[in-house]
Amino acid sequence: MNMGAAQQPQPTLRHDLMTRLAQPRPYDMAIVGGGATGLGVALDAAARGLSVVLVESHDFAKGTSSRATKLVHGGVRYLAQGNIALVREALHERSTLLHNAPHLAQPLPFIMPSYKCWETPFYGAGLVLYDALAGRAGLGKTEFLNRAQTLQALPTARADGLKGGVKYWDGQFNDARLALALARTAAARGALLVNYCRAADLLYECGKVAGLVCEDVETRQSFKVRSRCVINATGVWVDELRQKDGEASQRPTRPMVAPSQGVHMVVEREFLPGRVGLMVPKTADGRVLFAVPWLGKVILGTTDTPRQDLAREPQPFREEVEFILNESARYLRRAPGRADVKSVWVGLRPLVKPQDEDGDNTKGLSREHTVLVSRSGLVTVTGGKWTTYRAMAEDVLQKCFEKNLISRLSTGVTANLLLVGAENFKSPGHSICEPPGLHGYGSEQSAVLALPGAGTELTSGLTEAMIRFAARHEYARTVEDVLARRSRLLFLDARLAGSLAARAGEILLQETGIDPQVEAFSALARDYLHLPE
Ligand SMILES: Cc1cc2nc3c(=O)[nH]c(=O)nc-3n(C[C@H](O)[C@H](O)[C@H](O)COP(=O)(O)OP(=O)(O)OC[C@H]3O[C@@H](n4cnc5c(N)ncnc54)[C@H](O)[C@@H]3O)c2cc1C
C-alpha cells in the first residue's frame, strides 16, 4: 500500500468559515453552487490567484454531482452523434482527471457483449475510433473478443445467443469524494468555501451584479458578500437565480434548463464479479445502459426521463425501475429482481435549452455546456458532465475575462494540479471496484489513522476516525453528509446506512456540537430502499 508522505489536512471549522464570511472584504469572484461545476470554477480561479468565495445551500455535491454513473468518460454515445470535438475534449479531460486524483479516479475496462452478428464489427469500429481520438490519452487498446473470451471476462453475462464482444477502456470515479477534494484543494489555495449557506439574492451597483446576499442555513444569519463577478453554477437550479436577476434588471428571462432524471440501482457484486464494466450500447428504447462494479457493489443505470419539478431528492418512476431491471435481465445470466436492490438513487441532468435573447451563447460550439453572461453581468454556467468540469471552469474564466469582469490571468493552471490526497501518492494499489476503505484517502491515510477511533469500525471500511476526519477536515455537518457523501454507504446499501445512523450521529455530535439530524437521515435511507409499485 502506498500511503505517500504524511499530509497536514486543513481544518474546516464552521465558526472560522462563518467569521471569514462575515468580514466586509470584496472578492474577485463569488460562486453559487458547490457541485462539480462551481467547485471546478473555484479551484481554477483560486489557482490563478483570484480571491474566491463559494456558497452551497446544502452540502457539497448534494445535487447532481453525487448521483453520476461514476464514469470518467469521453462519451461513446456522443461519438454515435458525430460530436467528435466533444469526445476529443472529454477524452483529454479523462486522462487529466485520472492523473490529478489517482486515489479517486481510475481506468476501468468495459465489455460490450454482442448477441447479433453485426454488433461487434459495427460498435467495435466506433470504439476503435474512440481509441484513435484519445491518442496518447488512451487507457488501453480496444479488443475484439470471441464468445469464450467474452464469457471469461464477464462470467455472469447471458450465454445463450452470445456471439462475442468488444472490450474498451474508460475511467470510473468516486464523484462526491472528488467534489470534496476539489473544495479542499481550492481552500488550500485560499478560497473560502461554505456549505449550508444559501445565496438568497443578488447585490447590484449601477445596474451591475456586485455580490450576493447569503444566509447561513444553520443559524438563519444573513451576510452581504461583495464581489467583482458572480458565477451562477447551481446546476438544474440555475433559473432561480437568473429569474431574480431578470426581475432586478427588469428584463424577463426564459428558463434555460430542461431537467431530465436518471435512475441508478445498486445490487450485490455477485451479479457482475470481476473488474470489468458491462456496456449495452442500445437498449430496447435506444439508450445506453451500464453495469459498473463500484466500491464492492454493482451500479445499474441509467434512465433519461424529463421532469418538471426540481426536487432535492427526486423519486424514481415505476417504469424506470422496471426498465433497468428488464434490460439487465437481457444481459445478465441471473436477473436482478426488486428484492436484490440495495439502494436506488436519482439525479437530475441540467439539459440546456437554446438561448438567444439574453447575453452571449456558447451553444454553437461543439460543447454540451453553456456559459451565459446576462446584461447585468451574472455569469451562468450549466450542462456538461463531471468528466469535463475542469475544461468548463477554464471556459467560465475565459468568459469572465472577455466580459471585463476579471483581468487576464495565465490559463491551464489546473491541468497538472494534484488534488488533495494525490500529493506524493503514486500507486493506488487498490481498485475503486473493491469495497471502500482507508485507501480512498490517498496520501491522507496517515492523518485519518492519527485520529481517535482509527481501529473502531462501524462497518467494514468505515471507522470512527473517518467520521471525525469528515467533521474536522471535510466540512461534514450531518449524518447524511457522512454516510451519503464522505462514506458512500447510503448509495451502496441504504438499509445498512440507516442502521448506522444513530452511532454515526453520536460521534458527529461530539465533534460539531450540533444536531446531526439522525431522524432525517433514517427517513432518507428508507426512501433509498423504496421501489415504486
Ligand atoms: C443520472 C446521471 C448520471 C450521470 N453520469 C455521469 C457520469 O458517469 N460521468 C460524467 O462525467 N457525468 C455524469 N453526469 C453528469 C454530471 O453528474 C453533471 O454534469 C454534474 O454533476 C453537474 O454538476 P453541477 O455542479 O453543474 O450541478 P450540481 O451538482 O447539481 O450542483 C449545483 C449545486 O448548486 C446548489 N445550489 C442551488 N441553488 C443554490 C443557492 N441558491 N445557493 C447556494 N447553492 C445552491 C445545489 O445545492 C447543488 O449542490 C450524470 C448526470 C446524471 C443526472
Side-chain angles (χ1 to χ4, degrees), residues 117-295:
C117 290
W118 59 269
E119 284 179 334
T120 297
F122 180 75
Y123 292 115
L127 289 165
V128 168
L129 174 61
Y130 192 60
D131 253 10
L133 287 173
R136 284 192 306 166
L139 302 175
K141 211 166 150 11
T142 293
E143 293 170 55
F144 290 82
L145 308 181
N146 61 28
R147 180 187 147 85
Q149 289 166 321
T150 305
L151 281 174
Q152 193 181 10
L154 286 179
T156 53
R158 186 168 60 80
D160 53 311
L162 182 71
K163 307 281 186 240
V166 186
K167 177 178 167 188
Y168 74 100
W169 288 80
D170 250 327
Q172 68 171 169
F173 73 128
N174 187 335
D175 49 5
R177 286 203 66 82
L178 184 67
L180 288 164
L182 289 175
R184 297 178 58 217
T185 311
R189 273 154 188 77
L192 171 63
L193 300 101
V194 190
N195 54 353
Y196 294 103
C197 188
R198 185 176 75 93
D201 219 337
L202 295 162
L203 294 173
Y204 290 85
E205 270 170 25
C206 307
K208 294 287 178 191
V209 175
L212 294 172
V213 179
C214 37
E215 185 191 69
D216 180 347
V217 172
E218 292 181 1
T219 62
R220 301 282 164 217
Q221 194 183 349
S222 187
F223 299 85
K224 281 188 178 163
V225 175
R226 306 223 159 253
S227 180
R228 283 174 67 191
C229 62
V230 174
I231 314 294
N232 175 12
T234 52
V236 287
W237 297 276
V238 283
D239 288 320
E240 288 174 17
L241 220 51
R242 292 181 70 244
Q243 192 74 38
K244 285 189 198 297
D245 182 45
E247 283 163 15
S249 48
Q250 295 178 339
R251 292 189 187 102
T253 53
R254 281 196 297 170
M256 69 186 279
V257 165
S260 159
Q261 82 171 18
V263 172
H264 292 96
M265 292 191 289
V266 170
V267 295
E268 287 295 359
R269 193 64 185 285
E270 66 203 41
F271 287 96
L272 191 75
R275 295 182 181 179
V276 183
L278 188 155
M279 190 269 264
V280 176
K282 202 164 186 182
T283 55
D285 66 351
R287 296 183 211 146
V288 177
L289 189 89
F290 287 96
V292 186
W294 189 70
L295 297 180

Side-chain angles (χ1 to χ4, degrees), residues 53-67:
V53 60
L54 179 149
V55 292
E56 160 58 51
S57 56
H58 294 66
D59 184 24
F60 300 123
K62 162 75 180 178
T64 307
S65 296
S66 55
R67 300 154 194 264

